[in-house]
Amino acid sequence: MKLKSNLTLITLLLFSFALFSQTKITGKVTDGATGDPLPQVTIQVKGTSLGTTTDFDGNYAITLKSKSGTLVFNYLGYKNQEIKTDGKSIINVTMIEDASTLDEIVVVGYGTRKKSDVTGAVSSVKSEELNAFPVLNAGQALQGRAAGVVVQSNNGGEPGAPIKIQIRGNTSINASSAPLIVVDGFVGAVMPQPNDIESIEVLKDASATAIYGSRGSNGVVLVTTKKGKKGRLSIEFNTNYSVQNTSNKLDLLDANEFATYQKLINSNYIQQSENTDWQDLLYTTGLTENHQFSFSGGTDKINFYASATYFNQDGVIMNSNFNRLSFLTNIDAQVTDKLTLGLNLFGSRGAKNGVPTQSTGETANGGGDDVVSLTFRFSPDLGIKDANGLNTVNNIGDDVDNPYAIANESVNEAKTDNFRANFYANYDILENLTFKTTAGFSSTNETEGLFRPSTLITTAGGNTGGRAIVGSFKRTNILSENYLTYNKEIGKGNLTLLAGYSYQKNSTQRFAAGAQGFTSDSFSYHNLEGGAVQLIPTSSLTESEIQSQFGRLNFDYDDRFLLTATVRRDGASNFAANEKYAIFPSAALGWKMSNEKFIQDIEAITNLKLRASYGVTGNQAISPYQSLARFNNIYSVLNGQTVSAVTPDQAANPNLKWESSYQTNIGVDLSLLDNKISLSLDYYNIDTKDLIINDSSQPEYFGFLTPASLRNVGEVNNKGFEISINTRNISTENFRWTTDFNWSTNKNKFVTLLDGQDIFLDASPGYFNIDRTHVLREGEAVGVFWGYEYKGVYQGGSLPAGTALLPGAAAGDQLFADVDGSGDISPSDQKIIGDPNADWSIGITNNFTYKNFDLNIFFQGVNGGDIMNLTNVQLFNGDSNATKDILNSWTPSNTNTNIPRAKLRGKEISSRFVEDGSYIRLKNIALGYTFPQEVTEKLGMDNVRLSISGQNLLTFTNYSGLDPEVSYFGSGGGNSSDNNTFNGFDFGNYPTVKSVNFSLNIRF
């Protein structure tokens, strides 16, 4: 009993001593140069995992287990400080800038450089900018953030829609102009979700991109994901919810107005009994949720970062949605003093349920499967069902089902799995020589199902008993890269040499099958064998390989003069036997003028650097086997039996080679007033030669099924200016204001084309029955619009000089320019009527912080860039509903108008439907609040932040369509991210959305 009492007493004494020995220390951390408080400074008790960070006002509080200890203060760009506590309860710290680390580090191909030592044109976008507002694809966050980078959704606000990124304009015609995406060193990777990204570097000129050789002409986007850091375990949770609505609606005729309009065309028109607003039926309130959980940490030997993200979006058109679950893991281990190992894993599963939009219009019933254009076209005096309970069919124009029925009854589903694993080993062979090897594998698996039930009377349904198609797609990518890096100080200079070898193999498998004539719609596309008619299945396997040797030299002399020289030799299986290998060199010079004595005396100049580069990069983004002679399958009937055969499809071209871009870049980097103002200015000129273009000049009697074969003929030029300005406008103890501004312009034109001949193309829906909407012409920009020049409404009597009418026209009809002077209008009167390429683009971001509040305001826009409003071509031709503008059409008593009389007419492409696509948009406005540290400590958290934001709330434009950011892919269908000529067309696009978002961030 006595022993038990003694043990109790000792325990109480030890516990009291422990409590007594604990010491709470508070203080404030400030900038030694300005006296401003420094937020998010890391404070750690040396030798332990105990630590904290400063709040917005630079204050901190930490409790030590004893009176003695050492606090380590760490902040990027400042010297670490170690301060012994010695029983103190208040420790204020002044941080001193560290010139050796203050210079920002940016990622370049196969390495990193200090930003002040970069000789190429590189734009950096940091994590906080990528997460300023919620996006599905991190590429969307680049819009307006980097000069010279144009980002656009391929289909408005459609859930899961792919995006199109272009850097410094169109540099190709048939090959892709999409940039190369490199994630953590993996070439051609899928972009991870924004919360997992530490930074994105956009490489724009040849000096920066030539290290990627034959894939660098369209620019390179380098993505660096987050890594774990030494210290205690950090857990973070991000969640947000968005409410979305259509940003705009067309002002369409109601039932009474529609009947009045139709009676002007056909006096026998009988108005039906309904008054249906199809836009109100189809459009709904969209909801988006995004939840991310991550944890990270590390020791002296190993660090890790892992996250899981769930994204779900219900679109603003009924029955359209997308969801995705993804994960990312980064592990880095210092195995020995010389050997470092790392592993990066990424995976995602996405499921998309869509409604048909952006119809190609090639169906026999007049593009009847596109709910967006049908929402505008369909008669408002009809209801969803007719008197017999069947889905209504349009009572004028094309026989098409109503859009509500198509959105509810058609099935468009796709599931996509992505996986990527990338392993690296870095070994320090000698003090100045390191070797790095990487081995990576990625795969994409996609299955897609389409079903049109028999209840859809005209949309490949009732006439065939329903139609179903199932397709699958699988791509695998194997990558191995090995390179040596050598660093050596030579007198006043520093030399870095890089030499390496790369091998990559892509394999793609496709399969599709279909059937029609089902006895039941119950099984959707999951019962192909139940169809009475089996459609011909298709399957394919394509493989491509590329092996490369690359090298780079960087020499910095006396911290004043910079030299970068790069060369890469690529061999690609995509190209012909005589042209499988090519060499892509580049060189760049830099001069740090601010380190010259005659500049150092100018106190206002903090940094001044001149840059100049020249080099050659390539574009090999064409499908495999394009240079080979090919056969195609054909089917015929012999003795009453269907037989298959082959026919020559394409002639061989043994000399098909890369497109090559010869790039010149001249740039200036300037910082003023102790980096309060930073400016980058670039001028570039890109000549892309040996364009890969379809040559249709080969005679038909050669017998090839495809008379056009690819040849290297033509040259296109892009030139422009880019300006980026960053300013720290106000920086006081409680209030800060910074501004980021970028502006860029790009002018492109064809220098030469095949034999100087025009190439005419068509982007209109197939049922328009038009074969020319735009043209490729020497001396003109890529994809300028082609059609008639509209001259207003004919008032009767003598024709105005230089004008003519279509055959059979009368007073109130369209006047067009008589280009050929023949006195009538024919295809020979068509001309260039518009240019879809923007004159310039702009992005302006203002960030304000006041105590614990922060405000972000982001405007983005373009000037110029015409839009061909194909929607209005449809709505103003008399065989569908129309906008209320049609009420102002010409009549004998209403002649002061620019809208022709109401009648059935052809779908002529003319300047009447070409509009200015300029706009300025409030892309994002966000207000956030970070809870004070004393509150978060009581909650057991490191950080808690709430925010509310709005996207696309205001748009200033004169465009009459739904939205000036349009990207109709044209009658050819497919993904417009690989299409460089069908720009600026508007028809059936999924509407752009405006949204309000609520976010919560918690960090432990």
Side-chain angles (χ1 to χ4, degrees):
M1 188 72 179
K2 184 177 180 181
L3 176 62
K4 184 176 180 181
S5 299
N6 289 337
L7 288 174
T8 302
L9 179 60
I10 292 171
T11 302
L12 289 173
L13 288 172
L14 290 173
F15 181 71
S16 301
F17 178 77
L19 288 177
F20 179 77
S21 64
Q22 287 185 345
T23 302
K24 183 176 182 180
I25 299 175
T26 61
K28 187 170 187 176
V29 182
T30 57
D31 186 314
T34 65
D36 295 335
L38 293 177
Q40 296 301 310
V41 176
T42 300
I43 302 121
Q44 188 169 4
V45 180
K46 190 173 182 178
T48 73
S49 61
L50 182 63
T52 187
T53 58
T54 58
D55 62 15
F56 176 81
D57 297 316
N59 297 317
Y60 74 94
I62 190 170
T63 301
L64 277 66
K65 295 181 180 180
S66 63
K67 290 185 178 181
S68 62
T70 301
L71 297 182
V72 180
F73 295 79
N74 177 272
Y75 195 59
L76 181 64
Y78 292 77
K79 294 180 179 179
N80 285 359
Q81 292 203 43
E82 296 188 6
I83 298 178
K84 292 183 177 181
T85 58
D86 293 334
K88 299 174 185 175
S89 60
I90 298 176
I91 298 178
N92 296 320
V93 177
T94 300
M95 302 291 285
I96 306 300
E97 290 183 355
D98 186 350
S100 64
T101 60
L102 186 61
D103 207 352
E104 181 184 352
I105 300 297
V106 298
V107 179
V108 296
Y110 304 100
T112 59
R113 297 278 287 168
K114 289 195 300 182
K115 189 173 182 179
S116 63
D117 293 339
V118 172
T119 54
V122 180
S123 292
S124 296
V125 182
K126 298 305 179 185
S127 176
E128 55 270 21
E129 296 176 280
L130 296 172
N131 293 290
F133 56 93
V135 293
L136 169 63
N137 189 310
Q140 294 172 272
L142 291 177
Q143 186 179 41
R145 303 289 187 184
V149 180
V150 177
V151 180
Q152 190 174 47
S153 168
N154 276 357
N155 196 19
E158 180 190 24
I163 63 168
K164 179 178 182 178
I165 302 176
Q166 280 193 342
I167 299 173
R168 293 185 168 182
N170 291 326
T171 57
S172 183
I173 303 304
N174 282 334
S176 172
S177 279
L180 182 67
I181 307 295
V182 181
V183 179
D184 291 328
F186 196 101
V187 179
V190 174
M191 191 87 78
Q193 66 93 31
N195 279 327
D196 286 330
I197 296 176
E198 186 69 31
S199 68
I200 291 180
E201 270 74 38
V202 182
L203 313 184
K204 296 183 284 190
D205 72 334
S207 173
T209 64
I211 195 69
Y212 291 101
S214 64
R215 293 175 286 186
S217 66
N218 301 321
V220 180
V221 177
L222 298 181
V223 180
T224 303
T225 57
K226 293 180 178 179
K227 307 285 187 181
K229 297 178 181 178
K230 177 184 174 181
R232 66 188 181 92
L233 179 67
S234 176
I235 299 174
E236 189 167 350
F237 178 66
N238 293 283
T239 184
N240 65 68
Y241 291 88
S242 296
V243 179
Q244 300 174 331
N245 288 285
T246 56
S247 60
N248 192 15
K249 292 182 179 180
L250 294 187
D251 194 10
L252 300 171
L253 302 177
D254 62 24
N256 292 330
E257 294 167 334
F258 173 75
T260 301
Y261 165 55
Q262 285 300 314
K263 287 177 181 178
L264 293 175
I265 300 171
N266 177 12
S267 59
N268 295 322
Y269 181 81
I270 300 175
Q271 181 176 353
Q272 303 301 305
S273 59
E274 301 292 335
N275 185 16
T276 306
D277 188 325
W278 296 104
Q279 290 184 102
D280 280 352
L281 276 179
L282 267 293
Y283 295 156
T284 184
T285 298
L287 298 173
T288 296
E289 57 180 314
N290 189 62
H291 312 289
Q292 189 229 15
F293 174 81
S294 68
F295 59 96
S296 63
T299 66
D300 290 334
K301 296 296 184 180
I302 190 170
N303 60 66
F304 64 91
Y305 173 87
S307 78
T309 304
Y310 175 73
F311 178 93
N312 181 70
Q313 181 180 4
D314 293 322
V316 296
I317 293 181
M318 61 188 311
N319 296 325
S320 62
N321 60 76
F322 175 83
N323 64 78
R324 185 179 66 189
L325 180 65
S326 62
F327 72 87
L328 183 139
T329 301
N330 282 323
I331 302 174
D332 300 278
Q334 188 74 44
V335 180
T336 70
D337 291 340
K338 291 180 174 291
L339 178 63
T340 304
L341 301 179
L343 178 65
N344 172 269
L345 297 174
F346 169 80
S348 69
R349 154 61 69 97
K352 178 180 178 181
N353 297 315
V355 295
T357 59
Q358 289 209 30
S359 169
T360 64
E362 293 181 336
T363 57
N365 52 47
D369 58 346
D370 169 19
V371 299
V372 175
S373 66
L374 288 180
T375 299
F376 308 147
R377 295 166 57 190
F378 207 84
S379 302
D381 58 353
L382 292 175
I384 299 172
K385 301 289 185 178
D386 62 17
N388 298 317
L390 300 177
N391 294 323
T392 55
V393 178
N394 214 17
N395 56 0
I396 61 169
D398 299 311
D399 291 333
V400 290
D401 290 294
N402 73 69
Y404 183 88
I406 296 174
N408 272 280
E409 298 176 16
S410 64
V411 177
N412 296 264
E413 296 179 348
K415 292 180 173 62
T416 304
D417 294 325
N418 285 294
F419 175 76
R420 182 179 71 250
N422 199 26
F423 168 83
Y424 82 86
N426 195 90
Y427 185 73
D428 296 330
I429 301 173
L430 300 172
E431 181 180 356
N432 300 318
L433 180 64
T434 63
F435 171 73
K436 186 172 185 178
T437 182
T438 66
F441 170 82
S442 72
S443 67
T444 298
N445 291 276
E446 180 176 312
T447 59
E448 185 173 8
L450 179 148
F451 183 66
R452 300 293 183 264
S454 58
T455 53
L456 296 176
I457 298 173
T458 64
T459 310
N463 295 335
T464 60
R467 178 169 62 97
I469 297 176
V470 176
S472 67
F473 164 92
K474 180 180 181 180
R475 173 179 291 143
T476 58
N477 189 338
I478 298 172
L479 174 68
S480 174
E481 295 190 310
N482 306 272
Y483 54 95
L484 293 162
T485 305
Y486 177 77
N487 290 284
K488 179 68 174 178
E489 289 188 9
I490 303 175
K492 292 184 178 181
N494 184 68
L495 175 68
T496 302
L497 296 175
L498 172 77
Y501 171 83
S502 174
Y503 171 82
Q504 191 163 18
K505 179 178 180 179
N506 287 285
S507 177
T508 302
Q509 300 178 60
R510 298 179 185 272
F511 171 79
Q516 61 187 32
F518 297 91
T519 57
S520 171
D521 294 330
S522 301
F523 300 100
S524 185
Y525 58 82
H526 301 292
N527 184 34
L528 293 184
E529 67 273 19
V533 178
Q534 297 294 314
L535 305 180
I536 297 173
T538 62
S539 62
S540 66
L541 169 65
T542 59
E543 294 181 327
S544 63
E545 295 177 272
I546 180 169
Q547 56 178 338
S548 314
Q549 302 85 39
F550 55 88
R552 182 173 58 214
L553 178 151
N554 291 106
F555 186 69
D556 310 336
Y557 179 73
D558 197 23
D559 201 25
R560 292 186 296 154
F561 302 108
L562 309 170
L563 169 66
T564 301
T566 305
V567 65
R568 182 165 180 138
R569 179 179 182 266
D570 279 337
S573 63
N574 284 17
F575 289 90
N578 299 337
E579 298 289 350
K580 287 194 180 297
Y581 292 90
I583 295 176
F584 302 94
S586 77
L589 297 173
W591 180 19
K592 292 183 178 181
M593 293 182 64
S594 52
N595 290 342
E596 301 289 351
K597 292 182 179 179
F598 64 90
I599 296 293
Q600 290 177 337
D601 294 334
I602 304 176
E603 293 184 1
I605 297 178
T606 308
N607 176 64
L608 175 60
K609 180 176 63 176
L610 302 182
R611 298 177 280 106
S613 69
Y614 179 80
V616 183
T617 53
N619 188 351
Q620 51 99 20
I622 63 170
S623 301
Y625 319 129
Q626 295 294 298
S627 66
L628 303 178
R630 296 198 313 234
F631 290 91
N632 204 344
N633 298 309
I634 60 172
Y635 296 88
S636 184
V637 177
L638 180 64
N639 297 325
Q641 298 293 321
T642 301
V643 296
S644 62
V646 293
T647 185
D649 180 36
Q650 173 184 282
N653 180 359
N655 297 310
L656 186 67
K657 62 181 180 180
W658 282 279
E659 296 180 345
S660 296
S661 294
Y662 298 80
Q663 305 187 34
T664 301
N665 193 95
I666 300 173
V668 178
D669 297 326
L670 175 64
S671 296
L672 301 171
L673 305 176
D674 196 23
N675 293 316
K676 290 184 177 179
I677 301 174
S678 299
L679 177 147
S680 290
L681 173 65
D682 283 273
Y683 166 79
Y684 63 87
N685 184 83
I686 306 173
D687 287 305
T688 302
K689 301 181 181 181
D690 298 319
L691 291 179
I692 301 174
I693 297 177
N694 281 309
D695 178 11
S696 303
S697 62
Q698 112 185 325
E700 292 186 6
Y701 58 75
F702 280 11
F704 291 103
L705 190 64
T706 304
S709 59
L710 295 180
R711 287 180 56 191
N712 293 106
V713 181
E715 177 182 344
V716 67
N717 175 264
N718 285 270
K719 62 179 62 174
F721 289 93
E722 298 170 353
I723 298 175
S724 297
I725 302 175
N726 311 101
T727 61
R728 292 187 294 169
N729 307 314
I730 298 175
S731 181
T732 65
E733 183 175 352
N734 292 322
F735 181 71
R736 296 180 185 180
W737 170 27
T738 63
T739 300
D740 297 327
F741 169 88
N742 68 78
W743 177 91
S744 61
T745 180
N746 179 80
K747 296 292 184 183
N748 78 336
K749 70 174 183 178
F750 283 106
V751 179
T752 60
L753 280 170
L754 179 63
D755 299 326
Q757 297 296 309
D758 292 342
I759 300 175
F760 292 99
L761 302 168
D762 175 39
S764 66
Y767 74 96
F768 274 29
N769 295 319
I770 296 170
D771 60 1
R772 295 179 177 183
T773 58
H774 54 297
V775 65
L776 310 182
R777 172 177 286 181
E778 285 187 3
E780 300 291 343
V782 174
V784 291
F785 300 143
W786 184 260
Y788 299 108
E789 182 181 356
Y790 183 62
K791 288 295 187 179
V793 179
Y794 174 50
Q795 301 295 335
S798 300
L799 291 170
T803 65
L805 299 168
L806 290 167
D813 283 330
Q814 302 173 96
L815 271 174
F816 297 109
D818 185 12
V819 175
D820 65 0
S822 64
D824 57 13
I825 295 300
S826 66
S828 61
D829 292 303
Q830 293 176 343
K831 56 179 290 189
I832 292 173
I833 56 175
D835 182 356
N837 300 284
D839 295 327
W840 48 261
S841 59
I842 192 173
I844 305 174
T845 303
N846 282 283
N847 289 294
F848 304 89
T849 55
Y850 176 71
K851 293 187 176 180
N852 289 59
F853 290 93
D854 59 87
L855 176 66
N856 173 278
I857 303 175
F858 173 36
F859 281 92
Q860 176 268 332
V862 300
N863 182 68
D866 293 327
I867 296 175
M868 174 63 75
N869 193 336
L870 294 173
T871 299
N872 276 354
V873 175
Q874 167 66 68
L875 297 184
F876 282 86
N877 80 327
D879 68 350
S880 70
N881 198 7
T883 64
K884 292 187 187 298
D885 292 336
I886 202 71
L887 300 175
N888 190 36
S889 59
W890 186 96
T891 66
S893 60
N894 182 39
T895 59
N896 187 25
T897 178
N898 199 43
I899 301 175
R901 68 189 176 103
K903 64 173 286 189
L904 285 173
R905 56 173 49 89
K907 298 178 176 65
E908 298 90 5
I909 302 298
S910 74
S911 59
R912 175 186 172 197
F913 303 108
V914 176
E915 302 183 45
D916 181 11
S918 302
Y919 71 90
I920 290 290
R921 169 167 284 158
L922 178 57
K923 197 70 178 178
N924 181 64
I925 180 169
L927 176 65
Y929 177 76
T930 302
F931 283 73
Q933 188 174 9
E934 55 267 25
V935 175
T936 58
E937 281 186 347
K938 292 179 181 178
L939 297 173
M941 303 174 184
D942 287 344
N943 186 79
V944 179
R945 182 178 183 272
L946 293 171
S947 69
I948 180 173
S949 64
Q951 291 77 48
N952 302 329
L953 298 184
L954 294 174
T955 301
F956 305 94
T957 183
N958 291 323
Y959 179 57
S960 67
L962 282 181
D963 192 81
E965 285 191 84
V966 292
S967 181
Y968 177 57
F969 52 55
S971 60
N975 187 333
S976 61
S977 64
D978 290 335
N979 193 318
N980 306 309
T981 61
F982 292 174
N983 294 323
F985 290 94
D986 184 4
F987 185 82
N989 289 56
Y990 197 105
T992 299
V993 300
K994 58 182 178 182
S995 61
V996 176
N997 179 73
F998 304 89
S999 299
L1000 169 66
N1001 169 265
I1002 299 175
R1003 189 173 68 248
F1004 296 90

